[in-house]
C-alpha cells in the first residue's frame, strides 16, 4: 500500500494534487492507495494520532508554525519523499533546512501542468527507490496478487500468533504464513527477539518496564 499525506488549506489545490497523484500512480502500479487530505492542523494531529506513516508528503508552507509541524512529520518518516508548495514571497531560509529535506518544490498558485510535471518526476523516483531498496531497506511481503515492500522504519514488530505472522506497521497489520526463526534471519540487526513470539524494532522502543516484562513502542 502507498500512503500519501497532502496538507493544503486550499480545497481546489487539494483536488488537483489528489487527481494528479491517482493518475500518475495508476500509470505505474496497481498498488492500493491510502490518500489523506489535511486542511488544517487538527487534520494533521488526527493523522499522527492514528499512527499513520506516509510514503509521500505534499505540504504547503505559509509560516514558521507550518515548518515546526513538518519537522515532527519528518522525524517519524525521514525517508518519505516530500514535495513542498509555497508562495514566492516566503523566504527559502524558512524551509531549506536539513531536518526538512524537501525532494521537490513548487511555487503557488499551482497549475495543473506544473503539478503533473512534478508528480511525474517524484513518482518515478519513488518507484525506482522502492525497487532498489529491497532487501536492504524493505521487508518484502509476498502476496497472491504480487508483493508489497514495507520499509523497515515503518515496522514496529512481528508477532507469531495462530500459526501466522502478524506484522505491525503504523496503523496497518498484515498477516502471512512464515516462522519467526526464518524472518529473524532476514532482518537488520536492530530487530530484536524479545520473546519467543515477538521480533521488535529496537529503534521504536520508547520505554522498557522490566518489572512488568513490557515494552512501550513509538508509533
Amino acid at each position: 500500500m502507498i500512503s500519501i499525506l497532502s496538507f493544503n488549506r486550499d480545497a481546489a489545490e487539494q483536488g488537483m494534487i489528489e487527481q494528479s497523484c491517482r493518475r500518475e500512480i495508476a500509470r505505474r502500479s496497481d498498488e492500493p492507495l491510502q490518500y489523506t487530505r489535511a486542511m488544517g492542523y487538527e487534520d494533521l494531529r488526527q493523522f499522527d494520532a492514528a499512527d499513520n506513516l506516509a510514503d509521500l508528503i505534499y505540504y504547503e508552507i505559509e509560516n514558521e508554525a507550518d515548518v515546526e509541524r513538518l519537522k515532527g512529520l519528518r522525524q517519524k518518516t525521514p525517508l518519505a519523499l516530500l514535495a513542498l508548495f509555497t508562495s514566492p514571497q516566503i523566504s527559502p531560509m524558512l524551509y531549506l533546512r536539513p531536518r526538512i529535506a524537501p525532494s521537490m518544490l513548487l511555487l503557488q498558485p499551482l497549475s495543473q501542468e506544473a503539478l503533473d510535471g512534478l508528480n511525474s518526476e517524484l513518482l518515478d523516483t519513488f518507484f525506482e527507490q522502492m525497487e532498489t531498496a529491497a532487501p536492504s531497506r524493505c521487508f518484502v511481503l509476498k502476496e497472491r496478487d504480487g508483493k508489497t515492500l514495507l520499509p523497515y522504519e515503518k515496522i514496529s514488530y512481528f508477532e507469531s500468533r495462530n500459526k501466522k505472522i502478524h506484522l505491525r506497521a503504523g496503523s496497518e497489520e498484515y498477516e502471512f504464513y512464515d516462522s519467526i526463526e526464518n524472518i529473524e534471519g532476514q532482518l537488520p540487526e536492530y530487530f530484536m527477539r524479545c520473546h519467543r513470539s515477538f521480533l521488535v524494532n529496537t529503534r521504536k522502543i520508547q520505554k522498557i518496564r522490566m518489572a512488568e516484562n513490557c515494552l512501550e513502542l513509538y508509533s
Side-chain angles (χ1 to χ4, degrees), residues 14-47:
Q14 281 278 24
M16 290 169 58
I17 295 167
E18 182 170 359
Q19 289 177 15
S20 180
C21 285
R22 293 188 181 278
R23 182 168 56 249
E24 294 297 328
I25 289 175
R27 290 175 179 171
R28 294 164 172 81
S29 172
D30 57 0
E31 283 258 4
L33 175 61
Q34 176 182 302
Y35 194 98
T36 303
R37 287 191 183 195
M39 302 292 292
Y41 295 153
E42 177 59 23
D43 293 333
L44 287 178
R45 188 197 67 76
Q46 291 180 10
F47 180 86

Side-chain angles (χ1 to χ4, degrees), residues 127-141 147-152:
F127 283 106
E128 287 170 5
Q129 288 184 354
M130 288 298 287
E131 285 298 320
T132 58
S136 61
R137 285 172 47 188
C138 293
F139 181 78
V140 181
L141 178 60
K147 63 183 180 181
T148 298
L149 302 180
L150 296 169
Y152 290 123

Side-chain angles (χ1 to χ4, degrees), residues 158-161 165 179-181 184 192-199:
F158 297 84
E159 179 190 2
S160 177
R161 173 165 36 99
I165 299 297
S179 69
I180 283 288
E181 289 75 18
E184 187 174 13
M192 178 183 69
R193 183 86 172 265
C194 63
H195 180 274
R196 63 185 179 85
S197 300
F198 282 89
L199 280 164

Side-chain angles (χ1 to χ4, degrees), residues 14-127:
Q14 281 278 24
M16 290 169 58
I17 295 167
E18 182 170 359
Q19 289 177 15
S20 180
C21 285
R22 293 188 181 278
R23 182 168 56 249
E24 294 297 328
I25 289 175
R27 290 175 179 171
R28 294 164 172 81
S29 172
D30 57 0
E31 283 258 4
L33 175 61
Q34 176 182 302
Y35 194 98
T36 303
R37 287 191 183 195
M39 302 292 292
Y41 295 153
E42 177 59 23
D43 293 333
L44 287 178
R45 188 197 67 76
Q46 291 180 10
F47 180 86
D48 185 64
D51 292 341
N52 290 314
L53 297 173
D55 298 303
L56 295 146
I57 300 173
Y58 297 81
Y59 197 94
E60 176 186 43
I61 287 182
E62 289 186 349
N63 50 51
E64 184 70 38
D66 292 344
V67 173
E68 290 305 309
R69 284 165 172 80
L70 180 55
K71 286 179 182 178
L73 283 174
R74 295 302 271 162
Q75 187 173 6
K76 290 183 65 175
T77 55
L79 298 181
L81 294 182
L82 170 65
L84 290 184
F85 305 118
T86 190
S87 164
Q89 281 71 51
I90 301 294
S91 170
M93 297 298 292
L94 187 65
Y95 51 81
L96 292 182
R97 305 179 183 183
R99 290 176 63 186
I100 301 299
S103 306
M104 302 191 77
L105 171 68
L106 199 60
L107 298 179
Q108 294 169 307
L110 302 184
S111 72
Q112 193 68 62
E113 181 180 2
L115 182 58
D116 288 345
L118 174 143
N119 256 338
S120 179
E121 186 173 349
L122 190 69
L123 289 165
D124 278 346
T125 300
F126 172 73
F127 283 106

